[in-house]
Amino acid sequence: MMHRKMLGLLALMLLAAILLPARGIAQVKEAPTRDQIEDKYKWNLADFYPSDEAWEAGLTALKGRVNEITQYQGKLGESAEKLAACMMLNDTLGIVAHRLYVYANLKADEDNRVGKYQEMSERARMLYSDIGQVTAFIEPEILTIPEATLKSFLDNTSLAIYRFYLADILRRKAHIRSQEVEEVLALAAPVTAAPSRIFTMLDDADIKFPAIKDENGNEVQLTKGRYGQILESTNRDVRRAASNAYNETYLGYKNGLAATLSASVNGDVFYTKTRGYNSCLERGLDGDSIPVDVFHSLIKAASENLAPLHKYMRLRKEALGVDTLFGFDLSVPLVPQSKMTFTYEQAREYMLKGLQPLGKEYLANVQKALDSRWIDVYETQAKGSGAYTWGTYSVHPVMLLNFSGTLGDVFTLAHEMGHMMHNYYSYQHEPYIYAGHSLFTAEVASTCNEAIMIKYMLSKTKDRNEKLYLLNYYIDQIIGTFYTQIWFSEFELKIHEIVESGGALSADGLRKIYREVYQKYYGPDLFIPENRDLGGLRISHFYRQYYVYQYATSYAASQMLSRKILAGDKKAAAAYMEFIKTGSSDYPVNILKKAGVDMTTTEPFANTIKTFGELVDEFEKLLLEKK
């Protein structure tokens, strides 16, 4: 699952054969309601549950089965068969519980104002907590089995699929607590998840933005989805007005948003201390056995090589001809040509064309996803913001978009399709226990799709203006997916370290840290006015401990993988298809090594930074050339 907002939404559709008018924001005074959208543009959740009544029946049935697993408590060490039976029942409960949870949350995201689905989501979450409490004995009890006995169990074919899982439990032995403590931690889950839920309700349901005037003087209701589109406007007054309205709205919620983020960090520290880790970072990376040095090396590599990014900010300032560069100047195209918009149908065809290097089988499954109503396309009132792909093991994945007709929306579709295919293939090729992906690998398939598209189109175009658009998009893509996520990660590290050392977080303190890191990365040519340092308070990913750094590591990996695929390396293409069939049946560093990228070295980071510098130089040279 993911939530993203791409930077640099530029006119790659210059390369398309036919351009049709897209839905313009000026024609709609407010976001449409869901019933105003044609069914073909809405996901069909009947494959999850045909009705809410069927969901209710499923919830009731699962509640009646939860205690079945207690029959194995105290008996896991008796035989491999009993351990395997317990593990299989645990998987069965998990499969059903997750299906219930996903359906309720997908329905809630259709309109976050509907109390019924908020309640269903919470009921599913509570059932998850109940299952976690009842099954809390499993891992602690496994650890009481003598190592020699457990190793002999692993020779039994009934436990074959659980070998990696059991070996990983032994690796994490020092951080697994007693049954009683594990039960308490399971009971605490709904409480520690509350800050994220409160933030979502504030951000998606309660916060309302005012109306502003567009380039034509038409009054338009500002939404989060439209905000990114408006920031592409060549009319600086419109961009400024949107920025003022957007930030002033969030300013009114600054203390509440700071309190929810602070509570989330306190929850992270609670789990860190309870499980005996030295830091939240160590705990955040240990689940996937990621060396802490990978995180620190990433931040160090970026921090010590900011000159190309600062140069681009200076180039942007000069190209726009402004005395002061503001945040609302960072998405407007630098190339003096009309902005292009396009329909969702065009975006579909464009994506299929761009992803051809991935092969016929891959594209056939992409077409299946497009034609089977697995995608919820357009923004509607109180719909979940951004974009994500989600699913559950027993059902195909689905995708949420807020498509508005920008180039960035085309790439968001391709990005999320990477997630969708990664989930689709791994669901088919992995058992349930390994079907999910580590966050460390989850963003590789998505950003690889984007990299293949942009590199492919750059290699085909000969037109100067088209190439400028492509280069500008590629540059902004690296900023958004690589550099931005790194400085987000540095902000996240700093706020966790404050609480870990006994300090506290406040709205003013969070804003000060955010401003300092923001300024460091973007350099002296970007001016940050007062009250424009609220980003740290309105980014949902900060509620998922040490999530965002993995965008940057994944992007660095995908840059290397896409380069090999586009070079016609058949072994690399085959290795990539094996990669997307793999869930979590090995540690993510090992999975990526098999695909051809070693993330324990600095090579992927250095390669991306080098690529960025070369793109900035090429863009500058081409921009200065006479037409």
Side-chain angles (χ1 to χ4, degrees), residues 50-299:
S51 65
D52 293 348
E53 291 73 23
W55 183 91
E56 291 286 355
L59 187 79
T60 300
L62 183 59
K63 282 183 177 180
R65 295 199 62 190
V66 169
N67 288 322
E68 286 182 20
I69 205 160
T70 59
Q71 66 182 295
Y72 298 105
Q73 190 167 353
K75 301 176 182 178
L76 299 185
E78 292 181 2
S79 68
E81 287 76 17
K82 282 192 176 179
L83 177 57
C86 179
M87 296 298 300
M88 286 187 282
L89 178 56
N90 187 46
D91 286 352
T92 298
L93 297 177
I95 289 170
V96 179
H98 193 249
R99 187 169 182 159
L100 290 163
Y101 181 74
V102 170
Y103 175 85
N105 281 275
L106 293 174
K107 293 296 291 184
D109 262 351
E110 292 179 354
D111 187 337
N112 277 284
R113 300 167 301 187
V114 179
K116 173 184 178 180
Y117 295 116
Q118 294 177 25
E119 292 172 4
M120 286 171 59
S121 172
E122 189 59 26
R123 289 164 62 201
R125 189 191 303 272
M126 292 300 295
L127 181 56
Y128 245 130
S129 179
D130 292 342
I131 292 173
Q133 182 184 359
V134 173
T135 60
F137 73 91
I138 295 176
E139 290 193 357
E141 189 171 323
I142 288 172
L143 291 173
T144 67
I145 301 173
E147 192 167 337
T149 302
L150 186 58
K151 287 182 177 178
S152 70
F153 284 1
L154 294 179
D155 293 331
N156 191 300
T157 56
S158 63
L159 283 172
I161 66 171
Y162 298 108
R163 285 172 184 161
F164 176 72
Y165 167 77
L166 293 170
D168 188 57
I169 288 179
L170 292 175
R171 181 186 67 83
R172 296 183 289 108
K173 183 175 183 178
H175 304 291
I176 297 174
R177 297 308 182 217
S178 66
Q179 177 186 334
E180 291 78 10
V181 173
E182 290 293 337
E183 288 178 359
V184 171
L185 291 174
L187 285 169
V191 179
T192 55
S196 177
R197 183 63 176 164
I198 293 168
F199 171 81
T200 299
M201 289 296 99
L202 282 170
D203 200 41
D204 288 340
D206 292 345
I207 293 178
K208 303 298 180 186
F209 300 98
I212 64 167
K213 290 186 177 180
D214 66 10
E215 295 94 332
N216 301 315
N218 298 312
E219 194 169 84
V220 178
Q221 178 192 340
L222 184 64
T223 67
K224 283 184 290 184
R226 290 173 181 167
Y227 182 58
Q229 185 179 6
I230 293 169
L231 290 184
E232 296 179 73
S233 172
T234 55
N235 187 320
R236 201 177 193 214
D237 290 336
V238 171
R239 301 200 307 270
R240 189 193 303 273
S243 176
N244 289 341
Y246 193 74
N247 283 281
E248 288 300 321
T249 300
Y250 274 107
L251 190 63
Y253 294 84
K254 64 177 182 179
N255 293 311
L257 293 172
T260 56
L261 181 57
S262 176
S264 180
V265 174
N266 285 330
D268 294 338
V269 174
F270 163 73
Y271 284 114
T272 293
K273 290 182 176 179
T274 304
R275 294 207 174 277
Y277 288 99
N278 295 314
S279 68
C280 292
L281 178 63
E282 183 183 54
R283 180 174 72 88
L285 273 61
D286 185 57
D288 291 320
S289 194
I290 306 293
V292 172
D293 286 347
V294 171
F295 182 91
H296 290 301
S297 294
L298 175 68
I299 292 180

